[in-house]
Amino acid sequence: MNDIIERIDRKRRKILGTYVIGAIVFFGAWIVRFILKETGILTDPLDYAIAVPFAIGLIILLYSFGALIRVNKEIKTNPALQETLNDERLQLNTLLAFKYGFFAMLAGLAFFAVFNLFFPIKDTRSVFFGLLMVGAFSYNLKFYRLEKD
C-alpha cells in the first residue's frame, strides 16, 4: 500500500509542476499581450506570435487539469488513500496557498492601479480576468512549492 501512496503522491506533484509551467507560459503571454495592447504597440503579426505560447500554455493547463481530476478521483475512491493523502498537512498547505493567492491578487491590483496612472486602462474586463488568473496561478504555485517540500 505504501508503494501505491508514494506513486500517487509523486504523480500528483508531477502534475502540479506541469500545471505551474503551463500557468507561467499562459499568464506570461497574456500579460505581455495586455500591456502591448493597452500601450498601443500591439500589431497583428505580434498578436499572432503571442497567440502561439498562449495556446501552448492553455493546452498544458487543460492537460494537467484533466490529469489532476483523474488523480483526485482515484484518491477519493480509495478510503486509505484519501485518509493518507488528504491529511492535515495538505489542508494547512491549502490554507497557506489561499492566503498567498489572495495577497497576490492585491499585488496585481496595485500593479494595475500604477499601470493605470501612466496608461489609462480601456479594457477593465481584462483587468478583472487578470486578477483572477493571478490569484489562481499564485495559489497553485504556492501549493506546489509547499507540497514539494
Side-chain angles (χ1 to χ4, degrees):
M1 186 68 174
N2 284 339
D3 291 340
I4 295 171
I5 292 169
E6 289 295 321
R7 181 183 55 83
I8 291 178
D9 193 38
R10 277 193 309 268
K11 187 176 182 181
R12 180 170 62 179
R13 289 178 190 181
K14 183 179 177 184
I15 293 168
L16 285 171
T18 305
Y19 187 89
V20 167
I21 291 169
I24 290 169
V25 171
F26 179 83
F27 186 67
W30 182 87
I31 196 72
V32 166
R33 184 184 183 281
F34 174 79
I35 290 171
L36 292 176
K37 183 178 178 186
E38 287 294 321
T39 57
I41 301 172
L42 187 66
T43 61
D44 283 342
L46 188 57
D47 196 17
Y48 292 126
I50 292 172
V52 172
F54 188 81
I56 291 170
L58 184 62
I59 290 168
I60 293 171
L61 282 174
L62 292 175
Y63 165 77
S64 57
F65 185 69
L68 197 57
I69 287 174
R70 288 190 298 276
V71 167
N72 284 338
K73 189 181 286 187
E74 185 177 350
I75 291 171
K76 288 186 184 203
T77 59
N78 189 335
L81 288 176
Q82 187 171 4
E83 182 179 330
T84 305
L85 293 175
N86 289 332
D87 58 353
E88 292 86 13
R89 180 186 55 84
L90 181 96
Q91 293 172 6
L92 179 64
N93 288 347
T94 302
L95 179 65
L96 291 173
F98 181 80
K99 287 179 184 178
Y100 188 81
F102 175 76
F103 286 114
M105 284 178 69
L106 289 179
L109 185 60
F111 166 78
F112 284 122
V114 170
F115 185 84
N116 193 38
L117 292 175
F118 298 108
F119 304 99
I121 295 175
K122 300 169 209 76
D123 190 6
T124 55
R125 284 182 289 167
S126 291
V127 171
F128 294 128
F129 182 65
L131 290 173
L132 287 174
M133 284 193 316
V134 164
F137 295 155
S138 298
Y139 166 84
N140 285 311
L141 177 64
K142 183 66 172 181
F143 185 77
Y144 171 71
R145 293 187 67 209
L146 289 169
E147 284 293 304
K148 191 176 174 183
D149 294 339

